[in-house]
Amino acid sequence: MSNFAMRRAVKEHKADCHRYAERAFDDIDRARGLIEERNYFKAADSLYEAITDVHKAFLMGEIGLTYEKCAGWREEGGDQNAD
C-alpha cells in the first residue's frame, strides 16, 4: 500500500469513527426521549443501536491506529508523527 493510500485509509477510518460516535449520541438522546414517553421497547432498541455504534466507532479508531503504527507514523508510546 502506498504512503498516500495509507494516509487516506487512516483519514477515512478516523472519519468513520467520529461518525459512529455521533450516531451513538443521537441514539442515546432518542432513547432518553422514548423513556420519557414510556415507550420502553423502542428505547431498548435505540440503546442497542447506541451500543452497536460505539463498538463500530471503537473498531474504526483501532483500525486507523493500526494503519498509523504499520506506517510508522505513531510510535508505541503514543507520539503521533502523522498529520
Side-chain angles (χ1 to χ4, degrees), residues 1 8 21 25 40 44 46 51 68 73:
M1 183 179 269
R8 183 177 176 141
F25 282 115
Y40 301 117
S46 187
I51 292 168
E68 287 180 346
W73 300 328

Side-chain angles (χ1 to χ4, degrees), residues 12-78:
E12 288 175 1
H13 282 88
K14 285 183 177 183
D16 287 345
C17 175
H18 292 293
R19 189 176 318 114
Y20 283 120
E22 287 296 320
R23 283 178 52 181
F25 282 115
D26 292 343
D27 291 335
I28 291 169
D29 288 340
R30 185 172 37 256
R32 187 175 293 133
L34 290 167
I35 289 171
E36 289 173 359
E37 296 172 5
R38 298 180 188 260
N39 194 341
Y40 301 117
F41 291 113
K42 287 186 180 180
D45 287 340
S46 187
L47 289 174
Y48 175 79
E49 289 297 321
I51 292 168
T52 303
D53 289 336
V54 167
H55 185 246
K56 289 177 185 176
F58 172 76
L59 290 176
M60 292 299 113
E62 287 297 307
I63 291 169
L65 288 175
T66 301
Y67 276 134
E68 287 180 346
K69 286 179 184 176
C70 288
W73 300 328
R74 183 181 295 267
E75 297 172 6
E76 288 299 320

